[in-house]
Amino acid sequence: MRAAATPDDVVHIVRVAIGEEEPADGAGTAAVGTAAADAASASAADAAGTTDAAGPAVAPGTAPGTAEAPGTAPAAPGAAPAAASGTRIVAVTACATGIAHTFMAADALTAAGKKTGVDLVVEPQGSSGYRALPEDVIAAADAVIFAVDVDVREPQRFAGKPVVRASVKAGIEHPERLIDEAVAAASDPHAERVTGATATATASAPAESGGTRLKRILLTGVSYMIPFVAGGGLLMAIGFLLAGYAIALTHGDSGVSNAVYTLQNFAIWHLPPEGLVYYLGAIAFEIGSISMGFLVPALAGYIAFAIADRPGIAPGFVAGSVAVFMNAGFIGGLVGGLIAGYAAYLIGKPAVPRWLRGLMPVVIIPLLASAIASGLMLLVLGGPIAWLMARMTDFLNGLTGAGAIGLGVILGLMMCFDLGGPVNKTAYAFAVAGLAAQTPASLHIMAAVMCAGMVPPLAMALASTVLYRRGFTTVERENGAAAWLLGASFISEGAIPFAAADPLRVIPANLVGGAVTGALCMAFDVASRAPHGGIFVFFAIDPIWGFVVALIAGTIVTALLLVALKRFVGRRVDAVQPAAVPAAVAA
């Protein structure tokens, strides 16, 4: 710094030290070179770290414990890491459910990093948690990629880094483009950077459109709500398996279900006349029912969380519980969560005296936001929304014949359109929200949604491994082998590599098969009391033959149509080679 003759020289020295510029010739070169050498040494030391199979994804070929690209020699002292081959990038992937898209995007980015010669380490933030990237790996990174559909957890860890933001779908379909953008951002002093705040937006970030922001908020709520539904629904299904469907019926004049009556009047040492298996079924069913009871409060609570961070959780949960009390259903939860979130955000926005700051997030914001959101639900909004939900329920219960089949077609199309994207998640959220009511219509909708969602991966597996192997690449055939299990488990994302490589033929074929399956499920009055699990929850599906027939029909239709399109309609339009789907995704 002492060698700088002008303020511009100072700026240049600092930028060289952090790798944003190359040393200039002439006066000051020695000082700049020394600074850059120190920065390069520090970066090499910071890059050291370890990962394993369960941790952050590292570009294949990268030696454990280092962030160097395969075959890359250590940077010479004084050299700035401006070339793409020396750029270090960290990435975060996260989707609404945190099951498949998250890890497929991580794999695609990792493979693209190896192909382009960029050191890239990915942190998949899945539904079961995540292993945070080591601090030294983040510190050594030149740029960050956020390929997410929900909020990044602990984004302040990446504060100050140039950032590229995209959807998780872009991470799967266009990983090389994201890497190119990140490499360019690393050397651009005007690029958007991550701030130290927990909010996802930054002061320098491009303005997020209202629709995009609303989608992110709602998907965040859905992503936190789904575990309550999946776990609770499967426990209820196990209860039906062990104790029969009568366990959910009212017990005589007691006013409570058979499950509640059994648990209130019997114990493990004093079993009911039906025996131990029935008693265990009552336990499983009641635990599942209680878990399902959190559906609307959790949806509202985490919608508010997506808007106002932690201070919004309590007001959101309270507003969601009021929606349940008012019989306003999931629509009431959506509205209550949005009101609670924005109320908490606006209350916490003004600057307050220092002595009051500690009380704001734990007392004042929850108190005022809860009063505002829940008060509006009780006084103004709850009644009209409850009326709307009642009319909707009556309409769905009254659907028969062509009306029910038409609904099945619509649900099938939605499930197969974007394979785990917003449209797919909207149909699924609609089905699981109605499942809590346990009405015949809600059970039929759940069956149509789950069965149609299984069609794309099973059809891709059938077409690529059985019917037309030579029409698919080696990687696609590997993906097809994995898609058998993914499809059977109701993980629609197993078809994404095929749709990404050949969308103009795969997506239409999926839509036709999904519509056939949805229509047949409704025509056969198939009901599912489980929200997830695919064919493995056969005991909660009735009639199972109707479910299987609808599934097989849709799978065959999609596979045959795809084969015909590949053989007779144009050439392949794929611009990217899809990465193989890891078997671990199905776990």
Side-chain angles (χ1 to χ4, degrees):
M1 301 294 287
R2 293 172 184 255
T6 67
D8 289 340
D9 289 342
V10 173
V11 172
H12 178 64
I13 292 172
V14 172
R15 286 183 174 174
V16 169
I18 64 175
E20 290 188 354
E21 295 183 5
E22 295 185 1
D25 295 332
T29 300
V32 171
T34 303
D38 293 340
S41 301
S43 297
D46 287 342
T50 59
T51 60
D52 54 32
V58 184
T62 303
T66 138
E68 289 292 328
T72 302
S85 60
T87 303
R88 298 181 177 89
I89 297 174
V90 293
V92 175
T93 60
C95 66
T97 54
I99 298 174
H101 278 80
T102 298
F103 301 99
M104 295 171 73
D107 291 337
L109 286 167
T110 300
K114 177 183 178 182
K115 181 178 179 180
T116 57
V118 172
D119 289 344
L120 188 144
V121 186
V122 185
E123 177 183 288
Q125 296 187 351
S127 60
S128 59
Y130 66 100
R131 179 168 297 180
L133 292 172
E135 292 183 4
D136 52 358
V137 172
I138 297 175
D142 300 304
V144 182
I145 297 173
F146 287 162
V148 298
D149 286 339
V150 295
D151 289 338
V152 175
R153 302 177 213 178
E154 299 185 283
Q156 63 274 17
R157 295 175 293 147
F158 306 94
K161 300 292 182 181
V163 61
V164 172
R165 301 180 189 272
S167 66
V168 70
K169 185 177 181 181
I172 297 171
E173 298 181 357
H174 308 291
E176 292 183 15
R177 186 179 70 191
L178 295 185
I179 291 175
D180 290 342
E181 292 177 4
V183 170
S187 57
D188 182 3
H190 302 293
E192 176 194 350
R193 295 179 182 269
V194 183
T195 67
T198 56
T200 55
T202 69
S204 60
E208 187 178 35
S209 68
T212 301
R213 176 170 172 76
L214 180 61
K215 183 186 80 170
R216 177 179 60 78
I217 289 169
L218 296 181
L219 287 178
T220 298
V222 170
S223 70
Y224 282 100
M225 173 268 288
I226 284 178
F228 289 95
V229 176
L234 291 175
L235 281 169
M236 290 176 68
I238 293 172
F240 288 131
L241 175 66
L242 298 178
Y245 295 140
I247 196 67
L249 302 179
T250 302
H251 182 85
D253 297 330
S254 64
V256 297
S257 68
N258 285 319
V260 173
Y261 181 84
T262 299
L263 296 176
Q264 288 177 342
N265 294 276
F266 299 96
I268 193 68
W269 57 85
H270 175 51
L271 294 173
E274 293 83 357
L276 176 62
V277 173
Y278 183 88
Y279 184 74
L280 294 177
I283 292 175
F285 178 83
E286 191 57 28
I287 294 174
S289 297
I290 293 171
S291 178
M292 288 289 288
F294 284 99
L295 187 156
V296 175
L299 176 65
Y302 287 105
I303 284 175
F305 166 75
I307 299 170
D309 211 339
R310 292 183 183 179
I313 294 178
F317 264 87
V318 174
S321 299
V322 170
V324 174
F325 171 75
M326 297 289 291
N327 294 319
F330 77 96
I331 295 180
L334 291 174
V335 174
L338 290 170
I339 295 174
Y342 280 109
Y345 173 76
L346 294 174
I347 293 169
K349 192 172 183 180
V352 297
R354 184 173 182 180
W355 59 269
L356 193 57
R357 292 176 192 168
L359 293 176
M360 289 293 289
V362 295
V363 176
I364 296 175
I365 294 177
L367 171 65
L368 297 180
S370 296
I372 293 171
S374 298
L376 286 174
M377 289 296 298
L378 285 167
L379 297 173
V380 181
L381 300 173
I385 295 175
W387 177 87
L388 176 63
M389 287 296 298
R391 300 290 78 75
M392 184 185 299
T393 301
D394 292 341
F395 171 75
L396 293 175
N397 287 332
L399 284 177
T400 58
I405 292 174
L407 178 60
V409 169
I410 294 172
L411 293 173
L413 291 171
M414 292 178 70
M415 289 300 296
C416 298
F417 176 68
D418 56 357
L419 304 174
V423 177
N424 173 287
K425 287 296 181 288
T426 298
Y428 182 69
F430 173 70
V432 298
L435 191 62
Q438 291 288 302
T439 62
S442 68
L443 301 181
H444 295 156
I445 290 172
M446 189 70 253
V449 163
M450 181 159 65
C451 197
M454 297 167 64
V455 167
L458 289 176
M460 297 304 105
L462 178 63
S464 62
T465 65
V466 178
L467 298 181
Y468 193 48
R469 290 177 56 86
R470 63 188 179 87
F472 296 85
T473 66
T474 301
V475 172
E476 287 175 328
R477 290 195 293 271
E478 293 175 359
N479 288 334
W484 284 111
L485 180 58
L486 297 177
S489 304
F490 180 36
I491 299 179
S492 305
E493 289 86 346
I496 286 179
F498 300 89
D502 196 5
L504 297 183
R505 284 179 284 193
V506 170
I507 293 176
N510 285 339
L511 292 175
V512 174
V516 169
T517 295
L520 289 177
C521 276
M522 285 296 191
F524 296 148
D525 288 333
V526 180
S528 173
R529 288 175 168 81
H532 214 288
I535 201 65
F536 299 106
V537 292
F538 62 91
F539 52 83
I541 300 172
D542 181 48
I544 186 62
W545 67 264
F547 186 89
V548 173
V549 169
L551 179 62
I552 291 175
T555 300
I556 292 176
V557 166
T558 293
L560 291 178
L561 181 57
L562 178 60
V563 170
L565 290 173
K566 281 183 171 290
R567 293 187 63 181
F568 305 115
V569 180
R571 300 179 58 186
R572 288 178 60 94
V573 296
D574 55 311
V576 295
Q577 182 78 313
V581 178
V585 170

